[in-house]
Amino acid sequence: ALRGIGPLHHRRGDLMAGLHDTDIRLSEDWQLTASSTGDVPLCSARDCFLQDIRLEAVTTPGEVFYNPSWGWGLQEYLHREYDSMAQLEISQRIRSKLSERPEVDSPTIEVQMEFTGDRIRIDIYFRFVEESGQEHLQVSIDRVRVEVVDIAE
């Protein structure tokens, strides 16, 4: 990743994108993209930070060799029974991972879940430190995959 605009942030010695970083912009299905000029498009600042959160949400810890703790590990819930214990574990894991980012105002993290059939819809709301706008991330877990469905301010 091209994390070149500002200082890198560390979580237990591992790197993660911050609000002042730049990275290669990925497509909706996490593939590299090219602009009409053939250049590799970049994302920076807020877009880079939110892309990093989206990627971490669908990653299993250990999947990224240079950052073994990075990833929410929600794949663990693909084939588990969705009960109140699973709901508590998922909520705590998301809160914990987002709280490790200094840009996120931890007390504002809110996790809501809805169970429908074989799918868990997770709505995550949070604010950046010293900002009033609320961010919204929606994650879906079914029996096959974990995916970020939506992210918006």
Side-chain angles (χ1 to χ4, degrees), residues 76-144:
E76 178 181 328
Y77 299 94
L78 291 175
H79 301 288
R80 283 198 37 199
E81 182 178 334
Y82 302 144
D83 56 13
S84 59
M85 182 57 90
Q87 185 174 357
L88 180 61
E89 289 173 10
I90 292 168
S91 180
Q92 288 297 87
R93 183 170 301 178
I94 291 169
R95 287 176 196 279
S96 173
K97 291 292 189 171
L98 281 175
S99 292
E100 292 174 354
R101 294 174 176 269
E103 300 87 352
V104 173
D105 186 9
S106 296
T108 68
I109 299 170
E110 183 181 337
V111 180
Q112 300 173 357
M113 282 181 243
E114 180 181 322
F115 298 89
T116 54
D118 286 345
R119 179 179 303 270
I120 304 174
R121 177 181 144 177
I122 307 166
D123 287 290
I124 305 153
Y125 302 91
F126 62 93
R127 296 184 196 288
F128 291 123
V129 173
E130 298 181 17
E131 289 190 21
S132 60
Q134 186 176 56
E135 302 294 331
H136 175 223
L137 171 69
Q138 189 179 99
V139 176
S140 175
I141 303 174
D142 60 25
R143 298 291 180 200
V144 179

Side-chain angles (χ1 to χ4, degrees), residues 1-2 22-26 31-33 40-43 48 51:
L2 304 170
T22 298
D23 205 347
I24 296 169
R25 183 176 304 278
L26 300 175
Q31 302 301 310
L32 295 175
T33 59
V40 174
L42 302 176
C43 60
C48 176
Q51 176 177 280

Side-chain angles (χ1 to χ4, degrees), residues 1-16:
L2 304 170
R3 310 203 195 273
I5 291 180
L8 295 174
H9 298 282
H10 295 269
R11 172 172 57 205
R12 295 183 304 272
D14 299 323
L15 300 176
M16 61 184 165

Side-chain angles (χ1 to χ4, degrees), residues 52-59 71-75 137 139 146 148:
D52 197 59
I53 290 175
R54 291 177 73 209
L55 253 158
E56 186 178 23
V58 298
T59 303
W72 290 5
L74 297 177
Q75 292 79 353
L137 171 69
V139 176
V146 174
V148 176

